[in-house]
Amino acid sequence: MAVPDSVLSIDVGGTKMLAALVRDGAVLETVRLATPRGGDPSAWFEALFAEIASWQGRYSAVGLAVTGIVDDGHWSALNRRTLDIPDRFPLAATVARFTDRPVFAANDAQAAAWGEHAFGAGAGEDMVFLTVSTGIGGGIVLGGRLFGGLAGHFGQLRDDDHPDEALEDRVSGRWLAAQARPHRTDATARDVFAAAKAGEGWAQALVRVSAGRTALLCRNVQLALDPRRIVIGGSIGLAEGYLAAVEQALAPVPARLRPSLHSAALGENAGIIGIASLAQRQATSRENET
Ligand code: ADP
Ligand code: BMX
């Protein structure tokens, strides 16, 4: 039987899980579920694999792009508010129970950085990817190399004024939703953008503050790594008006210091496309070793 050339990609964020069949940087099929945000992650994957049972036999490898840090196939949260994962959860081994294909796992934003570098707005150049989503994640690709480990976890930055609070807790979707509560009960970040578009001043002010903080982060990233491009993704980063607000906040910055910002060309698929490429590469190098 011919070996299928697609990869099963699974992206687990703090808000949503996306599963997809990906071939050569193109998404063939997708399934979306809300991230359960509680209980045993084994049950999340069991439910997800039940949902995509009909895809069995159509993929040669499995790629997992997850919020949090992955060390030797073990998954942990850096910020439990973004997603509360049991410490050193055996991610790769758990998913291997549901498939006979090789499994490769990485951080979601690092995978998305690779996707945008290879197939999207990174255009093969030195770049930093930022996702503004449930939290804030990031990935760095310099000289064609994707940095792993903690590299790019810009949402975890702290400063003197907020030593106990990660930057993402004052910028991301969770923050926008929490700040919206006095104005509208049960508001989501998406509702904030809808209200801003409808001309509501409180919502416009929240988007401006969040975008201003993202702009400052981009300015600092530029000084640290001097990438040719900073690519912005995530549902907040891609929401109407957000990138323009970040650009506006950067307008007074001297030209030599100002980053070149681009919207993620792969949109919400950056992570699943990136992890497919990384998983395929890993599977091929293992085959060559044997
Ligand atoms: P994840 O963090 O799971 O990767 P997202 O990138 O979709 O997922 O980010 C989730 C955050 O984005 C949530 O705060 C959600 O309310 C918000 N969000 C989702 N869709 C939109 C939208 N169309 N416009 C603005 N915000 C959105
Ligand atoms: C947090 C951190 C990162 C992740 C980023 C974006 C956890 C659980 N996650 O900074 O590893 O890349 O959020 O994640 O500590 P998302 O869910 O917002 O896409």
Side-chain angles (χ1 to χ4, degrees), residues 12-259:
V12 182
T15 301
K16 65 173 192 294
M17 310 203 325
L18 276 181
L21 286 177
V22 181
R23 188 170 59 211
D24 297 332
V27 177
L28 309 179
E29 310 233 12
T30 50
V31 159
R32 170 194 304 266
L33 296 174
T35 307
R37 295 186 66 84
D40 179 359
S42 309
W44 312 351
F45 290 104
E46 190 172 359
L48 182 64
F49 272 88
E51 195 76 25
I52 58 171
S54 65
W55 295 358
Q56 211 168 358
R58 294 179 61 193
Y59 49 88
S60 57
V62 179
L64 306 169
V66 295
T67 183
I69 188 148
V70 182
D71 289 317
D72 300 330
H74 289 79
W75 184 23
S76 305
L78 292 173
N79 186 345
R80 290 181 179 278
R81 293 182 193 164
T82 300
L83 191 61
D84 192 2
I85 309 143
D87 210 28
R88 285 192 60 79
F89 177 79
L91 177 65
T94 298
V95 170
R97 295 206 322 253
F98 304 110
T99 174
D100 58 0
R101 305 296 171 179
V103 176
F104 177 75
N107 169 261
D108 57 351
Q110 290 172 348
W114 185 251
E116 286 292 332
H117 174 76
F119 300 99
E125 297 188 322
D126 286 353
M127 62 163 287
V128 166
F129 174 82
L130 279 182
T131 173
V132 188
S133 36
T134 312
I136 292 185
I140 302 167
V141 185
L142 297 177
R145 175 174 166 238
L146 172 68
F147 286 55
L150 288 171
H153 270 90
F154 302 114
Q156 306 309 311
L157 292 177
R158 279 144 210 258
D159 60 43
D160 264 6
D161 291 336
H162 310 90
D164 301 322
E165 191 180 39
L167 173 66
E168 62 189 0
D169 293 339
R170 287 176 285 119
V171 180
S172 70
R174 279 183 294 103
W175 180 80
L176 285 168
Q179 296 297 307
R181 247 150 246 158
H183 306 278
R184 195 167 292 179
T185 44
D186 293 334
T188 62
R190 189 198 289 255
D191 299 327
V192 174
F193 281 91
K197 192 173 179 185
E200 292 188 42
W202 65 268
Q204 291 172 339
L206 282 181
V207 172
R208 215 169 29 245
V209 171
S210 170
R213 290 175 180 164
T214 297
L216 196 53
L217 171 61
C218 290
R219 187 177 174 173
N220 288 334
V221 165
Q222 195 64 35
L223 284 167
L225 299 166
D226 204 14
R228 295 290 290 272
R229 291 163 178 243
I230 297 182
V231 177
I232 313 270
S235 290
I236 306 299
L238 294 168
E240 195 180 328
Y242 194 80
L243 187 57
V246 176
E247 296 271 22
Q248 199 178 352
L250 286 169
V253 175
R256 179 62 186 94
L257 304 182
R258 202 180 311 137

